[in-house]
Amino acid sequence: MPAIAVNFRSFAVGCDEPTKCTVEIADTGLQQGQGMHGSFSRAETKNFMAAIGPDFKTAFADPAPVSNADIGKTIAHILGLKMKNKGKLVGRVISEAAPGGATPHFAAKTISSPRAANGLATALNEQLVGTTRYFDAAGFPGRTVGLAAAATAQTAHETR
Protein backbone atom coordinates (compact mmCIF):
# COMPACT_ATOMS: atom_id res chain seq x y z
CA MET A 1 0.00 0.00 0.00
CA PRO A 2 1.28 3.49 -0.77
CA ALA A 3 2.12 5.79 2.11
CA ILE A 4 0.44 8.72 0.37
CA ALA A 5 -2.91 9.24 -1.26
CA VAL A 6 -3.50 11.83 -3.95
CA ASN A 7 -6.79 13.67 -3.73
CA PHE A 8 -7.96 14.37 -7.26
CA ARG A 9 -11.18 16.05 -6.23
CA SER A 10 -13.62 16.44 -3.35
CA PHE A 11 -17.16 17.74 -3.55
CA ALA A 12 -20.30 18.01 -1.42
CA VAL A 13 -23.43 16.04 -2.23
CA GLY A 14 -26.76 17.60 -1.32
CA CYS A 15 -26.63 18.89 2.21
CA ASP A 16 -26.53 22.33 3.82
CA GLU A 17 -23.11 21.74 5.43
CA PRO A 18 -20.62 20.68 2.72
CA THR A 19 -18.01 19.54 5.24
CA LYS A 20 -20.44 16.87 6.51
CA CYS A 21 -21.31 15.30 3.16
CA THR A 22 -18.12 15.37 1.12
CA VAL A 23 -17.14 12.76 -1.43
CA GLU A 24 -13.47 12.30 -2.28
CA ILE A 25 -11.99 10.96 -5.49
CA ALA A 26 -8.48 9.68 -4.78
CA ASP A 27 -5.92 7.08 -5.83
CA THR A 28 -6.84 4.49 -3.21
CA GLY A 29 -8.57 1.14 -3.11
CA LEU A 30 -10.66 2.25 -0.15
CA GLN A 31 -14.32 3.04 -0.71
CA GLN A 32 -16.04 6.17 0.55
CA GLY A 33 -16.60 5.82 4.30
CA GLN A 34 -13.75 3.33 4.89
CA GLY A 35 -11.60 5.71 6.90
CA MET A 36 -10.07 7.56 3.98
CA HIS A 37 -8.20 10.60 5.30
CA GLY A 38 -6.01 11.43 2.32
CA SER A 39 -7.72 14.61 1.27
CA PHE A 40 -6.78 18.11 2.35
CA SER A 41 -10.35 19.33 1.91
CA ARG A 42 -12.02 21.22 4.75
CA ALA A 43 -14.16 18.13 5.38
CA GLU A 44 -11.00 16.27 6.41
CA THR A 45 -9.40 19.06 8.46
CA LYS A 46 -12.42 20.47 10.33
CA ASN A 47 -12.70 18.94 13.77
CA PHE A 48 -14.90 19.12 16.84
CA MET A 49 -13.61 19.44 20.37
CA ALA A 50 -15.46 19.65 23.66
CA ALA A 51 -14.27 20.11 27.23
CA ILE A 52 -16.06 20.35 30.54
CA GLY A 53 -14.97 21.20 34.05
CA PRO A 54 -13.88 24.10 36.22
CA ASP A 55 -10.92 24.91 33.96
CA PHE A 56 -13.15 25.62 30.95
CA LYS A 57 -15.80 28.21 30.08
CA THR A 58 -19.39 27.03 29.89
CA ALA A 59 -21.09 27.02 26.46
CA PHE A 60 -18.04 28.55 24.77
CA ALA A 61 -17.65 28.26 21.00
CA ASP A 62 -14.08 29.20 20.07
CA PRO A 63 -13.80 31.37 16.95
CA ALA A 64 -10.00 30.92 16.88
CA PRO A 65 -8.43 27.95 15.12
CA VAL A 66 -7.64 24.92 17.28
CA SER A 67 -6.06 21.57 16.41
CA ASN A 68 -5.41 18.20 17.99
CA ALA A 69 -1.82 19.35 18.61
CA ASP A 70 -3.20 21.92 21.09
CA ILE A 71 -4.82 19.35 23.39
CA GLY A 72 -1.61 18.07 25.00
CA LYS A 73 -0.29 21.59 25.62
CA THR A 74 -3.61 22.65 27.15
CA ILE A 75 -3.92 19.62 29.45
CA ALA A 76 -0.29 19.95 30.57
CA HIS A 77 -0.90 23.64 31.34
CA ILE A 78 -4.00 22.83 33.42
CA LEU A 79 -2.06 20.17 35.36
CA GLY A 80 0.87 22.54 35.89
CA LEU A 81 3.26 20.31 33.93
CA LYS A 82 6.20 21.70 31.97
CA MET A 83 6.52 20.12 28.53
CA LYS A 84 9.50 20.60 26.27
CA ASN A 85 8.66 21.17 22.64
CA LYS A 86 9.68 18.32 20.37
CA GLY A 87 9.71 18.99 16.66
CA LYS A 88 7.72 21.72 14.95
CA LEU A 89 4.15 20.51 15.51
CA VAL A 90 3.85 21.57 19.13
CA GLY A 91 0.47 23.29 19.40
CA ARG A 92 -0.49 25.99 21.84
CA VAL A 93 -2.42 26.35 25.09
CA ILE A 94 -6.06 27.04 24.29
CA SER A 95 -6.15 29.82 26.91
CA GLU A 96 -9.27 31.44 25.47
CA ALA A 97 -11.32 28.43 26.65
CA ALA A 98 -10.34 29.08 30.29
CA PRO A 99 -12.58 31.22 32.49
CA GLY A 100 -11.52 34.83 31.89
CA GLY A 101 -9.46 33.85 28.84
CA ALA A 102 -9.53 36.26 25.92
CA THR A 103 -9.85 35.18 22.30
CA PRO A 104 -6.42 35.57 20.72
CA HIS A 105 -5.81 37.58 17.60
CA PHE A 106 -5.70 35.30 14.57
CA ALA A 107 -5.18 35.85 10.88
CA ALA A 108 -6.36 33.83 7.89
CA LYS A 109 -4.84 33.83 4.44
CA THR A 110 -4.78 31.91 1.19
CA ILE A 111 -1.48 31.20 -0.52
CA SER A 112 -1.54 30.16 -4.17
CA SER A 113 1.09 28.81 -6.51
CA PRO A 114 1.63 30.37 -9.92
CA ARG A 115 -0.78 29.04 -12.54
CA ALA A 116 0.44 26.10 -14.60
CA ALA A 117 0.12 26.01 -18.40
CA ASN A 118 -3.27 24.30 -18.02
CA GLY A 119 -4.51 27.16 -15.80
CA LEU A 120 -4.50 25.22 -12.52
CA ALA A 121 -2.97 26.64 -9.36
CA THR A 122 -2.61 24.94 -5.99
CA ALA A 123 -3.99 26.91 -3.05
CA LEU A 124 -3.56 26.60 0.72
CA ASN A 125 -5.90 28.17 3.28
CA GLU A 126 -4.12 28.72 6.57
CA GLN A 127 -4.71 30.51 9.85
CA LEU A 128 -2.17 31.80 12.37
CA VAL A 129 -2.42 32.36 16.11
CA GLY A 130 0.90 33.95 16.97
CA THR A 131 3.43 31.60 15.40
CA THR A 132 1.14 28.54 15.48
CA ARG A 133 -0.04 27.63 11.97
CA TYR A 134 -3.27 25.84 11.14
CA PHE A 135 -3.83 24.39 7.66
CA ASP A 136 -7.52 24.42 6.74
CA ALA A 137 -7.66 23.20 3.14
CA ALA A 138 -5.34 22.72 0.19
CA GLY A 139 -5.69 21.64 -3.41
CA PHE A 140 -7.19 23.06 -6.57
CA PRO A 141 -9.73 25.85 -5.99
CA GLY A 142 -13.16 24.78 -7.22
CA ARG A 143 -12.11 21.10 -6.95
CA THR A 144 -11.55 20.89 -3.20
CA VAL A 145 -14.18 21.48 -0.51
CA GLY A 146 -13.17 24.58 1.42
CA LEU A 147 -11.32 26.30 -1.42
CA ALA A 148 -13.30 28.91 -3.32
CA ALA A 149 -13.08 28.70 -7.11
CA ALA A 150 -12.04 32.36 -7.23
CA ALA A 151 -8.87 31.87 -5.14
CA THR A 152 -6.25 32.67 -7.73
CA ALA A 153 -3.63 34.95 -6.22
CA GLN A 154 -1.96 35.44 -2.89
CA THR A 155 -4.53 37.04 -0.63
CA ALA A 156 -4.69 37.71 3.05
CA HIS A 157 -7.26 38.97 5.48
CA GLU A 158 -7.36 39.25 9.22
CA THR A 159 -10.09 38.12 11.57
CA ARG A 160 -10.66 38.99 15.18
Side-chain angles (χ1 to χ4, degrees), residues 34-60:
Q34 288 187 311
M36 182 57 206
H37 297 290
S39 163
F40 216 147
S41 79
R42 191 62 177 134
E44 301 283 350
T45 63
K46 186 175 182 179
N47 62 12
F48 171 81
M49 295 178 168
I52 190 169
D55 292 300
F56 298 99
K57 292 178 182 174
T58 302
F60 175 68

PDB file of all heavy atoms in Angstrom, residues 34-60:
ATOM      1  N   GLN A  34     -14.640   4.349   4.313  1.00  0.00           N
ATOM      2  CA  GLN A  34     -13.754   3.333   4.886  1.00  0.00           C
ATOM      3  C   GLN A  34     -12.535   3.950   5.563  1.00  0.00           C
ATOM      4  O   GLN A  34     -11.460   3.378   5.532  1.00  0.00           O
ATOM      5  CB  GLN A  34     -13.295   2.348   3.806  1.00  0.00           C
ATOM      6  CG  GLN A  34     -14.365   1.413   3.338  1.00  0.00           C
ATOM      7  CD  GLN A  34     -13.808   0.356   2.404  1.00  0.00           C
ATOM      8  OE1 GLN A  34     -13.089   0.661   1.456  1.00  0.00           O
ATOM      9  NE2 GLN A  34     -14.148  -0.884   2.667  1.00  0.00           N
ATOM     10  N   GLY A  35     -12.698   5.101   6.166  1.00  0.00           N
ATOM     11  CA  GLY A  35     -11.598   5.706   6.904  1.00  0.00           C
ATOM     12  C   GLY A  35     -10.587   6.420   6.044  1.00  0.00           C
ATOM     13  O   GLY A  35      -9.447   6.599   6.430  1.00  0.00           O
ATOM     14  N   MET A  36     -10.976   6.852   4.880  1.00  0.00           N
ATOM     15  CA  MET A  36     -10.072   7.561   3.978  1.00  0.00           C
ATOM     16  C   MET A  36      -9.815   8.960   4.523  1.00  0.00           C
ATOM     17  O   MET A  36     -10.743   9.719   4.732  1.00  0.00           O
ATOM     18  CB  MET A  36     -10.721   7.639   2.590  1.00  0.00           C
ATOM     19  CG  MET A  36      -9.885   8.302   1.550  1.00  0.00           C
ATOM     20  SD  MET A  36      -8.320   7.458   1.400  1.00  0.00           S
ATOM     21  CE  MET A  36      -7.338   8.783   0.807  1.00  0.00           C
ATOM     22  N   HIS A  37      -8.565   9.276   4.802  1.00  0.00           N
ATOM     23  CA  HIS A  37      -8.202  10.601   5.302  1.00  0.00           C
ATOM     24  C   HIS A  37      -7.067  11.174   4.469  1.00  0.00           C
ATOM     25  O   HIS A  37      -6.151  11.784   4.988  1.00  0.00           O
ATOM     26  CB  HIS A  37      -7.791  10.535   6.774  1.00  0.00           C
ATOM     27  CG  HIS A  37      -8.881  10.094   7.675  1.00  0.00           C
ATOM     28  ND1 HIS A  37      -9.963  10.873   7.951  1.00  0.00           N
ATOM     29  CD2 HIS A  37      -9.069   8.934   8.338  1.00  0.00           C
ATOM     30  CE1 HIS A  37     -10.774  10.225   8.769  1.00  0.00           C
ATOM     31  NE2 HIS A  37     -10.256   9.047   9.015  1.00  0.00           N
ATOM     32  N   GLY A  38      -7.102  10.993   3.168  1.00  0.00           N
ATOM     33  CA  GLY A  38      -6.014  11.433   2.321  1.00  0.00           C
ATOM     34  C   GLY A  38      -6.245  12.771   1.662  1.00  0.00           C
ATOM     35  O   GLY A  38      -5.399  13.266   0.950  1.00  0.00           O
ATOM     36  N   SER A  39      -7.384  13.349   1.895  1.00  0.00           N
ATOM     37  CA  SER A  39      -7.717  14.615   1.270  1.00  0.00           C
ATOM     38  C   SER A  39      -7.268  15.762   2.165  1.00  0.00           C
ATOM     39  O   SER A  39      -7.137  15.611   3.367  1.00  0.00           O
ATOM     40  CB  SER A  39      -9.233  14.682   1.066  1.00  0.00           C
ATOM     41  OG  SER A  39      -9.659  15.989   0.826  1.00  0.00           O
ATOM     42  N   PHE A  40      -7.058  16.911   1.568  1.00  0.00           N
ATOM     43  CA  PHE A  40      -6.780  18.112   2.351  1.00  0.00           C
ATOM     44  C   PHE A  40      -7.958  19.067   2.205  1.00  0.00           C
ATOM     45  O   PHE A  40      -7.824  20.268   2.264  1.00  0.00           O
ATOM     46  CB  PHE A  40      -5.496  18.768   1.875  1.00  0.00           C
ATOM     47  CG  PHE A  40      -4.675  19.393   2.973  1.00  0.00           C
ATOM     48  CD1 PHE A  40      -3.307  19.408   2.893  1.00  0.00           C
ATOM     49  CD2 PHE A  40      -5.262  19.974   4.082  1.00  0.00           C
ATOM     50  CE1 PHE A  40      -2.530  19.987   3.877  1.00  0.00           C
ATOM     51  CE2 PHE A  40      -4.510  20.555   5.079  1.00  0.00           C
ATOM     52  CZ  PHE A  40      -3.133  20.559   4.982  1.00  0.00           C
ATOM     53  N   SER A  41      -9.153  18.489   1.986  1.00  0.00           N
ATOM     54  CA  SER A  41     -10.346  19.329   1.907  1.00  0.00           C
ATOM     55  C   SER A  41     -10.738  19.745   3.327  1.00  0.00           C
ATOM     56  O   SER A  41     -10.303  19.151   4.316  1.00  0.00           O
ATOM     57  CB  SER A  41     -11.506  18.576   1.251  1.00  0.00           C
ATOM     58  OG  SER A  41     -12.130  17.702   2.168  1.00  0.00           O
ATOM     59  N   ARG A  42     -11.578  20.743   3.426  1.00  0.00           N
ATOM     60  CA  ARG A  42     -12.015  21.222   4.745  1.00  0.00           C
ATOM     61  C   ARG A  42     -12.814  20.139   5.475  1.00  0.00           C
ATOM     62  O   ARG A  42     -12.835  20.096   6.701  1.00  0.00           O
ATOM     63  CB  ARG A  42     -12.833  22.503   4.587  1.00  0.00           C
ATOM     64  CG  ARG A  42     -13.103  23.197   5.899  1.00  0.00           C
ATOM     65  CD  ARG A  42     -11.801  23.630   6.569  1.00  0.00           C
ATOM     66  NE  ARG A  42     -12.059  24.344   7.792  1.00  0.00           N
ATOM     67  CZ  ARG A  42     -11.424  24.131   8.938  1.00  0.00           C
ATOM     68  NH1 ARG A  42     -10.469  23.247   9.012  1.00  0.00           N
ATOM     69  NH2 ARG A  42     -11.719  24.817  10.001  1.00  0.00           N
ATOM     70  N   ALA A  43     -13.430  19.225   4.745  1.00  0.00           N
ATOM     71  CA  ALA A  43     -14.164  18.130   5.379  1.00  0.00           C
ATOM     72  C   ALA A  43     -13.223  17.213   6.153  1.00  0.00           C
ATOM     73  O   ALA A  43     -13.621  16.587   7.132  1.00  0.00           O
ATOM     74  CB  ALA A  43     -14.927  17.330   4.324  1.00  0.00           C
ATOM     75  N   GLU A  44     -11.973  17.124   5.742  1.00  0.00           N
ATOM     76  CA  GLU A  44     -10.999  16.271   6.414  1.00  0.00           C
ATOM     77  C   GLU A  44     -10.264  17.003   7.538  1.00  0.00           C
ATOM     78  O   GLU A  44      -9.750  16.362   8.453  1.00  0.00           O
ATOM     79  CB  GLU A  44      -9.955  15.756   5.410  1.00  0.00           C
ATOM     80  CG  GLU A  44     -10.539  14.961   4.283  1.00  0.00           C
ATOM     81  CD  GLU A  44     -10.923  13.534   4.678  1.00  0.00           C
ATOM     82  OE1 GLU A  44     -10.569  13.085   5.782  1.00  0.00           O
ATOM     83  OE2 GLU A  44     -11.579  12.888   3.863  1.00  0.00           O
ATOM     84  N   THR A  45     -10.182  18.317   7.478  1.00  0.00           N
ATOM     85  CA  THR A  45      -9.398  19.057   8.461  1.00  0.00           C
ATOM     86  C   THR A  45     -10.240  19.732   9.533  1.00  0.00           C
ATOM     87  O   THR A  45      -9.703  20.167  10.550  1.00  0.00           O
ATOM     88  CB  THR A  45      -8.517  20.130   7.780  1.00  0.00           C
ATOM     89  OG1 THR A  45      -9.372  21.075   7.130  1.00  0.00           O
ATOM     90  CG2 THR A  45      -7.561  19.501   6.790  1.00  0.00           C
ATOM     91  N   LYS A  46     -11.542  19.842   9.330  1.00  0.00           N
ATOM     92  CA  LYS A  46     -12.418  20.468  10.329  1.00  0.00           C
ATOM     93  C   LYS A  46     -12.684  19.455  11.434  1.00  0.00           C
ATOM     94  O   LYS A  46     -13.052  18.319  11.159  1.00  0.00           O
ATOM     95  CB  LYS A  46     -13.735  20.904   9.675  1.00  0.00           C
ATOM     96  CG  LYS A  46     -14.638  21.678  10.593  1.00  0.00           C
ATOM     97  CD  LYS A  46     -15.853  22.188   9.856  1.00  0.00           C
ATOM     98  CE  LYS A  46     -16.718  23.013  10.777  1.00  0.00           C
ATOM     99  NZ  LYS A  46     -17.894  23.532  10.078  1.00  0.00           N
ATOM    100  N   ASN A  47     -12.473  19.866  12.674  1.00  0.00           N
ATOM    101  CA  ASN A  47     -12.700  18.942  13.775  1.00  0.00           C
ATOM    102  C   ASN A  47     -13.613  19.553  14.827  1.00  0.00           C
ATOM    103  O   ASN A  47     -13.901  20.737  14.812  1.00  0.00           O
ATOM    104  CB  ASN A  47     -11.374  18.484  14.395  1.00  0.00           C
ATOM    105  CG  ASN A  47     -10.567  19.615  14.994  1.00  0.00           C
ATOM    106  OD1 ASN A  47     -11.037  20.731  15.174  1.00  0.00           O
ATOM    107  ND2 ASN A  47      -9.324  19.340  15.311  1.00  0.00           N
ATOM    108  N   PHE A  48     -14.038  18.704  15.734  1.00  0.00           N
ATOM    109  CA  PHE A  48     -14.901  19.122  16.842  1.00  0.00           C
ATOM    110  C   PHE A  48     -14.199  18.765  18.134  1.00  0.00           C
ATOM    111  O   PHE A  48     -13.666  17.664  18.273  1.00  0.00           O
ATOM    112  CB  PHE A  48     -16.252  18.389  16.764  1.00  0.00           C
ATOM    113  CG  PHE A  48     -17.101  18.605  17.987  1.00  0.00           C
ATOM    114  CD1 PHE A  48     -17.841  19.755  18.116  1.00  0.00           C
ATOM    115  CD2 PHE A  48     -17.123  17.680  19.010  1.00  0.00           C
ATOM    116  CE1 PHE A  48     -18.621  19.973  19.250  1.00  0.00           C
ATOM    117  CE2 PHE A  48     -17.885  17.882  20.141  1.00  0.00           C
ATOM    118  CZ  PHE A  48     -18.644  19.031  20.269  1.00  0.00           C
ATOM    119  N   MET A  49     -14.185  19.697  19.050  1.00  0.00           N
ATOM    120  CA  MET A  49     -13.605  19.441  20.370  1.00  0.00           C
ATOM    121  C   MET A  49     -14.603  19.924  21.423  1.00  0.00           C
ATOM    122  O   MET A  49     -15.323  20.898  21.203  1.00  0.00           O
ATOM    123  CB  MET A  49     -12.300  20.205  20.549  1.00  0.00           C
ATOM    124  CG  MET A  49     -11.196  19.794  19.651  1.00  0.00           C
ATOM    125  SD  MET A  49      -9.769  20.847  19.990  1.00  0.00           S
ATOM    126  CE  MET A  49      -8.532  19.972  19.094  1.00  0.00           C
ATOM    127  N   ALA A  50     -14.613  19.233  22.543  1.00  0.00           N
ATOM    128  CA  ALA A  50     -15.460  19.646  23.661  1.00  0.00           C
ATOM    129  C   ALA A  50     -14.702  19.393  24.952  1.00  0.00           C
ATOM    130  O   ALA A  50     -13.928  18.436  25.046  1.00  0.00           O
ATOM    131  CB  ALA A  50     -16.773  18.875  23.657  1.00  0.00           C
ATOM    132  N   ALA A  51     -14.901  20.250  25.924  1.00  0.00           N
ATOM    133  CA  ALA A  51     -14.270  20.106  27.233  1.00  0.00           C
ATOM    134  C   ALA A  51     -15.248  20.581  28.293  1.00  0.00           C
ATOM    135  O   ALA A  51     -16.060  21.477  28.051  1.00  0.00           O
ATOM    136  CB  ALA A  51     -12.977  20.912  27.299  1.00  0.00           C
ATOM    137  N   ILE A  52     -15.172  19.976  29.450  1.00  0.00           N
ATOM    138  CA  ILE A  52     -16.058  20.354  30.543  1.00  0.00           C
ATOM    139  C   ILE A  52     -15.269  20.318  31.843  1.00  0.00           C
ATOM    140  O   ILE A  52     -14.336  19.533  31.985  1.00  0.00           O
ATOM    141  CB  ILE A  52     -17.290  19.409  30.603  1.00  0.00           C
ATOM    142  CG1 ILE A  52     -18.331  19.930  31.578  1.00  0.00           C
ATOM    143  CG2 ILE A  52     -16.875  17.987  30.921  1.00  0.00           C
ATOM    144  CD1 ILE A  52     -19.659  19.198  31.480  1.00  0.00           C
ATOM    145  N   GLY A  53     -15.626  21.174  32.748  1.00  0.00           N
ATOM    146  CA  GLY A  53     -14.973  21.196  34.053  1.00  0.00           C
ATOM    147  C   GLY A  53     -14.656  22.610  34.471  1.00  0.00           C
ATOM    148  O   GLY A  53     -14.877  23.570  33.719  1.00  0.00           O
ATOM    149  N   PRO A  54     -14.129  22.761  35.674  1.00  0.00           N
ATOM    150  CA  PRO A  54     -13.884  24.101  36.216  1.00  0.00           C
ATOM    151  C   PRO A  54     -12.807  24.885  35.472  1.00  0.00           C
ATOM    152  O   PRO A  54     -12.737  26.104  35.620  1.00  0.00           O
ATOM    153  CB  PRO A  54     -13.456  23.832  37.669  1.00  0.00           C
ATOM    154  CG  PRO A  54     -12.934  22.432  37.655  1.00  0.00           C
ATOM    155  CD  PRO A  54     -13.731  21.707  36.610  1.00  0.00           C
ATOM    156  N   ASP A  55     -11.976  24.215  34.688  1.00  0.00           N
ATOM    157  CA  ASP A  55     -10.917  24.908  33.956  1.00  0.00           C
ATOM    158  C   ASP A  55     -11.357  25.401  32.587  1.00  0.00           C
ATOM    159  O   ASP A  55     -10.534  25.915  31.820  1.00  0.00           O
ATOM    160  CB  ASP A  55      -9.702  23.982  33.806  1.00  0.00           C
ATOM    161  CG  ASP A  55      -9.035  23.716  35.144  1.00  0.00           C
ATOM    162  OD1 ASP A  55      -8.582  24.697  35.775  1.00  0.00           O
ATOM    163  OD2 ASP A  55      -8.993  22.540  35.567  1.00  0.00           O
ATOM    164  N   PHE A  56     -12.651  25.229  32.266  1.00  0.00           N
ATOM    165  CA  PHE A  56     -13.154  25.621  30.952  1.00  0.00           C
ATOM    166  C   PHE A  56     -14.417  26.459  31.075  1.00  0.00           C
ATOM    167  O   PHE A  56     -15.231  26.249  31.980  1.00  0.00           O
ATOM    168  CB  PHE A  56     -13.455  24.380  30.096  1.00  0.00           C
ATOM    169  CG  PHE A  56     -12.237  23.552  29.831  1.00  0.00           C
ATOM    170  CD1 PHE A  56     -11.973  22.425  30.588  1.00  0.00           C
ATOM    171  CD2 PHE A  56     -11.338  23.924  28.843  1.00  0.00           C
ATOM    172  CE1 PHE A  56     -10.838  21.664  30.354  1.00  0.00           C
ATOM    173  CE2 PHE A  56     -10.203  23.176  28.605  1.00  0.00           C
ATOM    174  CZ  PHE A  56      -9.947  22.039  29.373  1.00  0.00           C
ATOM    175  N   LYS A  57     -14.588  27.400  30.150  1.00  0.00           N
ATOM    176  CA  LYS A  57     -15.800  28.214  30.084  1.00  0.00           C
ATOM    177  C   LYS A  57     -16.994  27.321  29.755  1.00  0.00           C
ATOM    178  O   LYS A  57     -16.858  26.304  29.073  1.00  0.00           O
ATOM    179  CB  LYS A  57     -15.682  29.273  28.983  1.00  0.00           C
ATOM    180  CG  LYS A  57     -14.660  30.341  29.252  1.00  0.00           C
ATOM    181  CD  LYS A  57     -14.599  31.303  28.068  1.00  0.00           C
ATOM    182  CE  LYS A  57     -13.548  32.359  28.265  1.00  0.00           C
ATOM    183  NZ  LYS A  57     -13.387  33.203  27.069  1.00  0.00           N
ATOM    184  N   THR A  58     -18.157  27.733  30.198  1.00  0.00           N
ATOM    185  CA  THR A  58     -19.393  27.028  29.885  1.00  0.00           C
ATOM    186  C   THR A  58     -19.967  27.555  28.584  1.00  0.00           C
ATOM    187  O   THR A  58     -19.976  28.763  28.353  1.00  0.00           O
ATOM    188  CB  THR A  58     -20.417  27.229  31.025  1.00  0.00           C
ATOM    189  OG1 THR A  58     -19.837  26.756  32.239  1.00  0.00           O
ATOM    190  CG2 THR A  58     -21.710  26.480  30.748  1.00  0.00           C
ATOM    191  N   ALA A  59     -20.419  26.666  27.721  1.00  0.00           N
ATOM    192  CA  ALA A  59     -21.086  27.016  26.457  1.00  0.00           C
ATOM    193  C   ALA A  59     -20.241  27.944  25.593  1.00  0.00           C
ATOM    194  O   ALA A  59     -20.759  28.864  24.967  1.00  0.00           O
ATOM    195  CB  ALA A  59     -22.460  27.625  26.729  1.00  0.00           C
ATOM    196  N   PHE A  60     -18.959  27.706  25.536  1.00  0.00           N
ATOM    197  CA  PHE A  60     -18.041  28.548  24.770  1.00  0.00           C
ATOM    198  C   PHE A  60     -17.777  27.920  23.406  1.00  0.00           C
ATOM    199  O   PHE A  60     -17.396  26.759  23.317  1.00  0.00           O
ATOM    200  CB  PHE A  60     -16.718  28.705  25.536  1.00  0.00           C
ATOM    201  CG  PHE A  60     -15.655  29.455  24.793  1.00  0.00           C
ATOM    202  CD1 PHE A  60     -15.789  30.809  24.518  1.00  0.00           C
ATOM    203  CD2 PHE A  60     -14.504  28.811  24.375  1.00  0.00           C
ATOM    204  CE1 PHE A  60     -14.804  31.500  23.841  1.00  0.00           C
ATOM    205  CE2 PHE A  60     -13.504  29.490  23.697  1.00  0.00           C
ATOM    206  CZ  PHE A  60     -13.657  30.846  23.432  1.00  0.00           C
TER     207      PHE A  60
END
